[in-house]
Amino acid sequence: MTQTASHNKSASLADIAQLCGTTKATVSRVLNAKPGFSVRQELSDKIHEAAAQLNYRPNGIARSLRSSNTPIVVVLGFHAAWLAPPTVPIYGRLLNSFTHQIEAMNASCMVDLTTDDDLSPKWASLVPDGALVIPPLNRPRTDKLFRDRIPFVVINEKGADDISCVYTDDHQSAHIAIKHLVDMGHTRIAYINQQHLAHGLEYHSSLPDRMNGYVDAMQQYGLEPMPGYDQYMDPRDYFEQIILKHRPTAVLCYKSETMKHLREFAVEAGMRVPEDLSLIGFDLLVPKYHTDFQFTCIDIPMEPMGCEAARILGQKLNNPNHHEQVKVESELIIGQSTAPPAG
Amino acid sequence: MTQTASHNKSASLADIAQLCGTTKATVSRVLNAKPGFSVRQELSDKIHEAAAQLNYRPNGIARSLRSSNTPIVVVLGFHAAWLAPPTVPIYGRLLNSFTHQIEAMNASCMVDLTTDDDLSPKWASLVPDGALVIPPLNRPRTDKLFRDRIPFVVINEKGADDISCVYTDDHQSAHIAIKHLVDMGHTRIAYINQQHLAHGLEYHSSLPDRMNGYVDAMQQYGLEPMPGYDQYMDPRDYFEQIILKHRPTAVLCYKSETMKHLREFAVEAGMRVPEDLSLIGFDLLVPKYHTDFQFTCIDIPMEPMGCEAARILGQKLNNPNHHEQVKVESELIIGQSTAPPAG
């Protein structure tokens, strides 16, 4: 990355007043939404526009930080619980690549482990120069960031049109997985949904997108989606009620960790993976790091996502009006858990 | 934890001047160590004492943060690279328990992923209310924290007498491991040192303490330390040059991950673990989370260490003169990798 985030002192109320041909007091009342104070809509719009253009931010602390030499980028939505084993941290790879890029811009990266998703008063004690927002996307949070004029980038989820983000296309990724199985001759392909998400991930767009991607891909190949895809079942229940009863020859898993469980149950039941049951899942956490058996998976490109997010945030630090939505491509990593169906 | 960290506005130069019967200008010059300005040693000591007593801190930003409702605790020395697989993050368990305690005090916890160990200018952009310091202990860093009067606690390393810390006794832990092996009848016990430490951990007191603990425990049991304990060898070289040549019946490993490698080499060479070779190591990362085979290990009590550190830091936020050094006990977790020697 050649671009670096040079840092300008932010605008004052006086600058905005001058640009709008009004007084500092009026600007202050408009921007702070003083109750009982009214002003022409046209002037109000003009003041807000000027504030955005000049990158004015209302908070005293924020101002002092901005005028220092080192912009502070805060990571919001990373939960302390993710640091505790048994799994490697969700978004760990991403944060690592993001931080290296942020460092290269001479900015500082702080992971906020305590700010609530609903932006409790804690938020007030440090107003950062920029933010990386980890899903789930939460409208109160992004509204607050817009209101405080803190440039931010959301990762791993496509936000509304006005939200800068770096994301993967889960619908397309599900299609890639189904194509891999169909190409090997599978027709009885099931999908195991997520039972529940990790702490702090009560909802994520991947839930509907992967499921719908499965259904659409199956239909595109003239195949019938198999039962169970739209339910949230425990892997053990799923194995007994879907796999043993309906006998799919392959299962696409919402989460790669589920493959590990299904493989154990299959072995217990005298089935071989992949000969009797092919398994493919999203995210390479388990396949690559937690076992000697390499599972086939759709890798979520965490490092490129982190680099892209840092690049966009760097541009926004220079120009708060900069806006980008970038899609990064998932990659099929073929391991030992998929093979043509037996017979 | 019943105690919460209530938060007082910090003292001004005027407060200190009044307490010492001198002027604000003199206090400022003494505290800021203005070059060319001299004052009686007695008065200088008095001013520094008063500043400590009143919890005065020199930085403007620090003051604004302190007067806000939410104290900010910054974690220093946690490296972004630790978030990237294949291993679970060093100190991840600790940070998780620490954060929960900090949250319970209505304080905020931010992990600084970018401040250099040598405290580059970046440090200036956010002066926190308190800090958790992750080893290696670095005197410039702790000096800077003392100078800025930021209360801090060091974890997993015993600092000098003036440094508040929570630590384990590695020397004693090595003794526990050797005792476990001796009790099972082993006499030919080797030690594999660390080849090199992880990024950001170029030195740690555990290096000499575990090694000396091994030597002292062996001598205490009337046994001869086996060759190789004081070298830094690649696990493969160690296996070939020490294990195959000198035939220990048990090996104590600086790091639990090494056990995994040694077991693989042993199996390749036709040896059985634990029948032909017992393995024991420090830290439960690998034994518990990375394999189905449970290794015997000395667990470093990360959760209690995190809780204790938060408790001490909470007390220091209320009273900057509070000082504690707390030792937490390691625990022997017996797995499948140790057994009496064959024959």
Side-chain angles (χ1 to χ4, degrees):
Chain A
M1 182 127 50
T2 51
Q3 191 200 359
T4 58
S6 79
H7 217 65
N8 307 315
K9 237 183 145 76
S10 73
S12 69
L13 290 175
D15 297 333
I16 299 168
Q18 198 183 0
L19 196 71
C20 300
T22 183
T23 65
K24 251 173 74 175
T26 301
V27 171
S28 168
R29 284 172 186 143
V30 167
L31 291 180
N32 294 306
K34 274 270 154 58
F37 179 78
S38 78
V39 70
R40 277 176 301 122
Q41 187 60 43
E42 196 194 343
L43 178 59
S44 169
D45 290 350
K46 200 170 167 188
I47 288 171
H48 279 288
E49 251 168 57
Q53 197 184 328
L54 294 174
N55 192 25
Y56 168 78
R57 289 193 301 172
N59 187 294
I61 297 174
R63 300 278 297 288
S64 357
L65 290 174
R66 281 190 73 83
S67 62
S68 88
N69 291 321
T70 306
I72 293 182
V73 170
V74 165
V75 177
L76 297 171
F78 188 95
H79 295 265
W82 294 352
L83 288 169
T87 50
V88 296
I90 308 170
Y91 300 122
R93 282 195 290 155
L94 186 147
L95 267 193
N96 186 33
S97 68
F98 177 78
T99 302
H100 287 140
Q101 296 296 338
I102 290 292
E103 263 184 318
M105 297 175 194
N106 293 314
S108 180
C109 181
M110 313 274 288
V111 182
D112 183 345
L113 293 180
T114 35
T115 298
D116 297 342
D117 288 342
D118 62 354
L119 291 167
S120 70
K122 291 174 189 174
W123 175 249
S125 53
L126 168 69
V127 181
D129 299 273
L132 182 78
V133 177
I134 287 177
L137 255 186
N138 161 319
R139 198 71 218 186
R141 164 160 287 167
T142 53
D143 282 350
K144 169 88 173 132
L145 289 164
F146 276 126
R147 216 158 43 234
D148 291 348
R149 296 197 173 77
I150 296 168
F152 68 96
V153 176
V154 172
I155 49 98
N156 204 28
E157 182 136 32
K158 189 171 182 311
D161 285 348
D162 58 343
I163 289 179
S164 291
C165 55
V166 188
Y167 64 99
T168 55
D169 184 336
D170 276 302
H171 190 276
Q172 189 184 51
S173 299
H175 192 280
I176 293 170
I178 298 302
K179 181 177 187 306
H180 170 64
L181 296 170
V182 167
D183 285 350
M184 289 191 298
H186 291 275
T187 55
R188 302 183 59 77
I189 304 169
Y191 175 69
I192 175 167
N193 218 318
Q194 174 68 329
Q195 185 197 0
H196 57 80
L197 292 168
H199 173 76
L201 276 179
E202 281 68 31
Y203 174 80
H204 192 278
S205 61
S206 297
L207 278 175
D209 290 354
R210 290 177 188 174
M211 186 182 79
N212 293 331
Y214 160 75
V215 172
D216 292 347
M218 290 294 279
Q219 287 173 345
Q220 197 177 323
Y221 288 110
L223 301 171
E224 198 64 43
M226 293 189 68
Y229 71 85
D230 54 355
Q231 291 165 45
Y232 300 91
M233 290 169 87
D234 178 73
R236 168 68 76 183
D237 294 339
Y238 184 89
F239 183 77
E240 284 167 7
Q241 290 167 38
I242 304 297
I243 297 183
L244 290 185
K245 279 198 191 144
H246 299 276
R247 292 285 169 178
T249 58
V251 179
L252 169 61
C253 303
Y254 177 87
K255 202 172 140 191
S256 57
E257 219 173 317
T258 311
M259 291 195 276
K260 212 175 134 184
H261 299 300
L262 293 184
R263 179 166 170 251
E264 283 166 15
F265 304 149
V267 168
E268 278 173 30
M271 293 164 73
R272 294 160 304 162
V273 173
E275 294 83 349
D276 303 317
L277 185 68
S278 281
L279 295 172
I280 183 169
F282 286 90
D283 204 346
L284 63 56
L285 287 188
V286 169
K288 195 149 178 185
Y289 304 114
H290 277 237
T291 166
D292 296 330
F293 183 86
Q294 300 288 315
F295 288 92
T296 298
C297 65
I298 302 289
D299 185 25
I300 299 170
M302 291 293 181
E303 285 88 355
M305 201 143 54
C307 290
E308 281 293 285
R311 179 187 61 74
I312 297 171
L313 199 52
Q315 296 199 291
K316 288 170 93 82
L317 288 178
N318 281 326
N319 168 17
N321 294 321
H322 182 82
H323 173 58
E324 263 184 85
Q325 297 196 323
V326 173
K327 189 174 100 171
V328 287
E329 298 296 334
S330 301
E331 196 192 341
L332 174 67
I333 299 182
I334 298 177
Q336 302 158 261
S337 65
T338 48
Chain B
M1 182 125 54
T2 51
Q3 190 200 1
T4 59
S6 79
H7 217 65
N8 307 315
K9 236 182 148 76
S10 73
S12 69
L13 290 176
D15 297 332
I16 298 167
Q18 198 183 0
L19 196 71
C20 300
T22 183
T23 64
K24 251 174 73 175
T26 301
V27 171
S28 167
R29 284 171 187 144
V30 167
L31 291 180
N32 294 307
K34 274 271 154 60
F37 179 77
S38 77
V39 71
R40 276 176 301 122
Q41 187 60 43
E42 196 194 343
L43 178 58
S44 169
D45 290 349
K46 200 169 167 187
I47 288 171
H48 278 288
E49 251 168 56
Q53 197 184 327
L54 294 174
N55 191 26
Y56 169 77
R57 290 193 301 170
N59 188 294
I61 297 175
R63 301 278 297 287
S64 357
L65 289 175
R66 280 191 74 82
S67 63
S68 88
N69 291 320
T70 306
I72 294 183
V73 170
V74 165
V75 177
L76 297 171
F78 187 95
H79 295 265
W82 294 351
L83 288 169
T87 50
V88 296
I90 308 170
Y91 300 123
R93 282 195 291 154
L94 186 147
L95 267 193
N96 185 33
S97 68
F98 177 79
T99 301
H100 287 139
Q101 296 296 338
I102 290 292
E103 264 184 318
M105 297 176 195
N106 293 315
S108 180
C109 180
M110 314 274 289
V111 182
D112 183 345
L113 293 180
T114 35
T115 297
D116 297 342
D117 288 341
D118 62 354
L119 291 167
S120 71
K122 290 174 189 174
W123 175 249
S125 53
L126 168 69
V127 181
D129 299 273
L132 182 78
V133 176
I134 287 177
L137 254 187
N138 161 319
R139 198 71 219 186
R141 164 161 286 167
T142 53
D143 282 350
K144 169 89 173 131
L145 289 164
F146 276 126
R147 216 158 44 234
D148 291 349
R149 295 198 173 75
I150 296 168
F152 68 96
V153 176
V154 173
I155 49 98
N156 204 27
E157 182 136 31
K158 188 170 183 311
D161 286 348
D162 58 343
I163 289 179
S164 291
C165 55
V166 188
Y167 64 99
T168 55
D169 184 336
D170 276 302
H171 190 276
Q172 189 184 51
S173 299
H175 192 280
I176 293 170
I178 298 303
K179 181 177 187 306
H180 170 64
L181 296 170
V182 168
D183 285 351
M184 288 191 298
H186 291 275
T187 55
R188 301 183 59 77
I189 304 169
Y191 175 69
I192 175 167
N193 218 317
Q194 175 67 328
Q195 185 196 1
H196 57 80
L197 292 168
H199 173 75
L201 276 179
E202 280 68 31
Y203 173 80
H204 192 278
S205 60
S206 297
L207 278 175
D209 290 354
R210 291 177 188 174
M211 186 181 79
N212 293 331
Y214 159 75
V215 172
D216 293 347
M218 290 295 278
Q219 287 173 346
Q220 197 177 322
Y221 288 110
L223 301 171
E224 198 64 43
M226 294 189 68
Y229 72 85
D230 55 355
Q231 291 164 47
Y232 301 91
M233 291 169 86
D234 179 72
R236 167 68 77 183
D237 294 340
Y238 184 89
F239 184 78
E240 284 167 7
Q241 291 168 37
I242 304 297
I243 296 183
L244 290 185
K245 278 198 191 146
H246 298 276
R247 292 284 169 180
T249 58
V251 179
L252 169 61
C253 303
Y254 177 87
K255 203 172 139 191
S256 58
E257 219 173 318
T258 311
M259 290 195 275
K260 211 175 134 185
H261 299 301
L262 293 184
R263 179 167 170 251
E264 283 166 14
F265 305 149
V267 168
E268 278 173 30
M271 293 163 74
R272 294 160 304 163
V273 173
E275 294 83 349
D276 303 317
L277 186 68
S278 281
L279 295 172
I280 183 169
F282 287 90
D283 205 347
L284 62 56
L285 287 188
V286 169
K288 196 149 178 185
Y289 304 114
H290 276 237
T291 166
D292 296 331
F293 183 86
Q294 299 287 315
F295 287 93
T296 298
C297 65
I298 302 289
D299 184 26
I300 299 170
M302 292 293 182
E303 285 88 355
M305 201 142 54
C307 290
E308 281 293 285
R311 179 187 61 74
I312 297 171
L313 199 53
Q315 297 198 291
K316 289 170 94 82
L317 288 178
N318 281 326
N319 169 17
N321 294 321
H322 181 82
H323 174 57
E324 263 184 85
Q325 296 196 324
V326 173
K327 189 174 100 172
V328 288
E329 298 296 334
S330 301
E331 196 192 342
L332 174 67
I333 299 182
I334 299 177
Q336 303 157 260
S337 65
T338 48

